[in-house]
Amino acid sequence: MHNELTHKDIQMMREELTYRRTQLRPKLLEAVKEARSFGDLSENFEYKAAKQEKNRNEGRIRFLENMIRTAVVISDQGTADAVGLYDKVTVYVEEDDEEETYQIVTTMRQDALHGLISKESPVGRAMLGKKVGERVHIQVDESYGYDVIVRAIEKAMDDGSIPLNAF
């Protein structure tokens, strides 16, 4: 499987990798070494916690390396009048009689609770390329879908202010 990421996504992941390898890893190794010196490892909470944090860092490093290795670089440039990556879209949800605003982002930046919707989600896939005034059907799963009307598109670019997801 390939991960569709922007140049900015990859740059941010490389920066995080550098930090985790050169700054965080030595600190965590030292914390494990120090906690080990406290004695009996079977009842040493500090040792277990330090080891767990070290392993979490190593897991994140492997995750980021894999994401970069399998990445397919995509453009974050859209057309002037249609929904593109990083654009904010205001839609009218007919069945709820309310408006919602989303920003379409890559999977490495999604956070649905804060309105950051992955371009690969049902909403993101349905919105890309749509224009103001269009009625869009969003098929959530095999048995449920709903219609929205695109009310506004606020063009945006990836300025790096949206952080990468933790896992």
Side-chain angles (χ1 to χ4, degrees):
M1 180 178 140
H2 296 289
N3 303 296
E4 294 184 342
L5 304 170
T6 64
H7 285 288
K8 189 70 171 174
D9 289 331
I10 293 172
Q11 175 191 347
M12 291 173 72
M13 286 190 288
R14 285 189 173 134
E15 289 169 2
E16 183 179 338
L17 271 172
T18 299
Y19 166 74
R20 286 182 174 278
R21 287 177 181 150
T22 62
Q23 294 179 31
L24 191 55
R25 183 184 272 162
K27 289 178 187 175
L28 295 174
L29 287 171
E30 185 58 35
V32 169
K33 184 178 173 183
E34 182 180 329
R36 175 179 241 138
S37 70
F38 295 158
D40 183 9
L41 297 183
S42 67
E43 295 180 15
N44 186 336
F45 175 77
E46 290 83 3
Y47 174 74
K48 289 178 184 175
K51 192 103 160 127
Q52 189 175 45
E53 192 59 34
K54 180 188 95 50
N55 290 340
R56 191 179 351 257
N57 185 56
E58 294 302 318
R60 179 69 176 181
I61 288 171
R62 285 189 303 276
F63 172 76
L64 292 170
E65 288 170 340
N66 185 53
M67 290 295 287
I68 292 169
R69 186 176 55 255
T70 62
V72 173
V73 178
I74 60 171
S75 171
D76 59 357
Q77 301 297 314
T79 61
D81 62 345
V83 177
L85 198 54
Y86 294 102
D87 291 346
K88 291 182 181 177
V89 184
T90 301
V91 297
Y92 173 69
V93 183
E94 294 177 316
E95 70 181 41
D96 295 339
D97 191 31
E98 63 182 40
E99 282 191 350
E100 295 180 355
T101 301
Y102 308 112
Q103 186 169 10
I104 310 299
V105 297
T106 60
T107 55
M108 282 302 295
R109 312 261 192 100
Q110 71 184 354
D111 184 353
L113 296 177
H114 293 99
L116 302 172
I117 305 297
S118 167
K119 70 179 209 56
E120 296 175 20
S121 71
V123 173
R125 274 195 311 270
M127 287 292 123
L128 286 175
K130 300 302 187 257
K131 298 179 179 182
V132 172
E134 279 191 63
R135 171 180 254 101
V136 181
H137 182 72
I138 299 169
Q139 191 67 40
V140 177
D141 60 25
E142 295 170 5
S143 62
Y144 178 70
Y146 61 97
D147 291 330
V148 299
I149 298 172
V150 178
R151 289 267 171 97
I153 301 170
E154 181 183 332
K155 301 307 277 181
M157 296 189 65
D158 183 10
D159 60 4
S161 63
I162 302 170
L164 294 174
N165 288 345
F167 34 13

